[in-house]
Amino acid sequence: ELHFWVVDGESGAGADDAALKPLASALDGLRKSMGPLHFTLDQVVSARTSAGSDGTRIESTTDGGYPRGFDFTVRGIDGEALDLQLVYDDHGQRGLAKFKSEVHLRSGQYVVLAQGPGSCAPALPGKSAPPCPNRPALRLLVVRADILPPQA
């Protein structure tokens, strides 16, 4: 089972979104290296997949109306770890637009897979840009893999 969090980091001290409590240790590491930040959740998506399958695609729509895609394949599971290939595509172009990554994950480990600059959402075609009074300092993609026991 894979979980992906799209998270915005804002400069200065403040409380993190309660939904980000499971990610506290990963976010605390960023605060230690980057200074005072507080984090808000943009989106979380989850999916079950199996190693060696043809791949899985999660297509979601953000609150701003933009499509966001997570195309991933689990290449192998070795005990308590797996190899993940991911193509991320955010049509909202908010800091992390598109990237491809391959990573070895331990089960239960939270990994900041990507970090980009924060930005305000652009206007949808034919519409005006949404208000953005506080531009985020950065955008993160965090992933966690949970290796589930085989089903009988």
Side-chain angles (χ1 to χ4, degrees), residues 71-75 83-87 100-103:
D71 290 304
F72 58 90
T73 302
V74 174
R75 287 290 176 209
D83 293 318
L84 172 69
Q85 292 182 332
L86 171 71
V87 176
K100 180 179 181 180
S101 182
E102 295 184 28
V103 64

Side-chain angles (χ1 to χ4, degrees), residues 40-121:
T40 56
L41 177 65
D42 181 70
Q43 186 177 41
V44 62
V45 296
S46 299
R48 285 191 178 187
T49 190
S50 57
S53 67
D54 289 338
T56 302
R57 178 166 179 82
I58 302 171
E59 185 77 34
S60 64
T61 303
T62 66
D63 289 343
Y66 296 96
R68 182 178 285 154
F70 301 81
D71 290 304
F72 58 90
T73 302
V74 174
R75 287 290 176 209
I77 298 176
D78 180 19
E80 290 297 311
L82 59 83
D83 293 318
L84 172 69
Q85 292 182 332
L86 171 71
V87 176
Y88 173 85
D89 191 3
D90 186 339
H91 296 277
Q93 308 289 315
R94 292 192 58 206
L96 294 175
K98 186 172 188 169
F99 69 88
K100 180 179 181 180
S101 182
E102 295 184 28
V103 64
H104 185 76
L105 298 170
R106 289 190 317 262
S107 185
Q109 175 185 28
Y110 293 91
V111 174
V112 177
L113 194 57
Q115 174 182 323
S119 65
C120 295

